[in-house]
Amino acid sequence: MIPLRDNQPTEKFPAVTIALIALNIVMFLAQWQLPLDQSLAAVPFEITHHIDLVGRLPLSESGHFLMRGQHAAHVLPYGVSPHPLWITIFTSMFMHGGLMHLGGNMLFLWVFGNNIEDALGRARFVFFYLTCGLAATVLQIATDPNSLIPVVGASGAIAGVLAAYYLLYPSARVLTLVPISWFGFFVELRAGWVLAFWFALQLYQGLFGIGMERAGGVATFAHIGGFLMGLLLIHLFGGRRLARRQSRRAEMFTAPPTERGYS
């Protein structure tokens, strides 16, 4: 299911959401000019072993480092990573593996991020976004600490945004494209249904396909980690109070003019 837009109004201009989208796009364009793919990606083996892997390293089909004497299925180039190596946990949030990867993430961020920024305020939204992204990458690394497959993408941080939206706006309507083979149809669905289905899919892929190599290269545990951190942070930020406030604001925006106190 591909969300296209929601019916949840906002009061403030989503400056942070737009800035995050712009930064991701700029970083993606920079990847075409500079060898940033590996050097700024979060490589689990590098972080857990405190080793900057520079050059060409022998890998197995599952993306794990091979010891001397073992047959290498293929090799993967790496550039010099920034130091300390844990910085790549943050830089990897703004790297993407391709145009579809970038486009899908930015679409989700645009549809759902502006409302969470509106609810939290700009400063707290920046903290929320980066913390969810941090938790996402840490959990992905913890599930496969010896992997040499680079972890890249904003989807972990955006998963936290989806969790916040799930708690604050479960009744919002989301215009969704449901693709079937080469065709598709549009339908309006409750946000709670769309996001619950998305998270259930991540759990299924994560639990039955441990490791990115079994999930088609998708860091499903990053999605799970970001979503769970999003639930926690929204609770700490006063989730029920925020939900009530946003519900009252939505009713005000959707009420007829005479019921809003002006004509």
Side-chain angles (χ1 to χ4, degrees), residues 185-209:
F185 61 91
F186 297 95
V187 60
E188 272 200 357
L189 299 172
R190 282 170 55 101
W193 287 82
V194 174
L195 299 179
F197 174 80
W198 178 87
F199 185 63
L201 182 62
Q202 307 312 306
L203 284 176
Y204 175 81
Q205 291 178 332
L207 295 176
F208 291 95

Side-chain angles (χ1 to χ4, degrees), residues 69-130:
Q70 292 180 302
H71 174 68
H74 58 279
V75 292
L76 187 66
Y78 284 78
V80 178
S81 299
H83 286 82
L85 288 170
W86 58 261
I87 291 177
T88 57
I89 294 177
F90 293 98
T91 58
S92 64
M93 296 183 204
F94 302 96
M95 311 297 294
H96 286 85
L99 189 59
M100 291 294 292
H101 188 201
L102 173 72
N105 278 344
M106 295 306 100
L107 176 61
F108 271 76
L109 180 56
W110 173 248
V111 172
F112 301 107
N114 58 344
N115 294 107
I116 306 309
E117 178 183 348
D118 198 48
L120 294 177
R122 290 169 181 169
R124 287 203 301 179
F125 181 61
V126 171
F127 174 81
F128 177 90
Y129 183 90
L130 294 178

Side-chain angles (χ1 to χ4, degrees), residues 29-152:
L29 294 176
Q31 289 177 235
W32 292 89
Q33 302 296 326
L34 301 170
L36 300 177
D37 287 11
Q38 317 303 333
S39 60
L40 296 184
V43 181
F45 187 94
E46 283 191 332
I47 294 172
T48 57
H49 293 76
H50 308 289
I51 298 174
D52 189 3
L53 302 174
V54 182
R56 301 182 69 85
L57 298 175
L59 302 180
S60 67
E61 287 291 354
S62 61
H64 288 77
F65 179 66
L66 293 174
M67 304 303 291
R68 289 183 179 179
Q70 292 180 302
H71 174 68
H74 58 279
V75 292
L76 187 66
Y78 284 78
V80 178
S81 299
H83 286 82
L85 288 170
W86 58 261
I87 291 177
T88 57
I89 294 177
F90 293 98
T91 58
S92 64
M93 296 183 204
F94 302 96
M95 311 297 294
H96 286 85
L99 189 59
M100 291 294 292
H101 188 201
L102 173 72
N105 278 344
M106 295 306 100
L107 176 61
F108 271 76
L109 180 56
W110 173 248
V111 172
F112 301 107
N114 58 344
N115 294 107
I116 306 309
E117 178 183 348
D118 198 48
L120 294 177
R122 290 169 181 169
R124 287 203 301 179
F125 181 61
V126 171
F127 174 81
F128 177 90
Y129 183 90
L130 294 178
T131 303
C132 289
L134 171 64
T137 306
V138 167
L139 182 60
Q140 182 63 44
I141 291 173
T143 61
D144 201 356
N146 292 319
S147 174
L148 291 181
I149 300 178
V151 179
V152 296

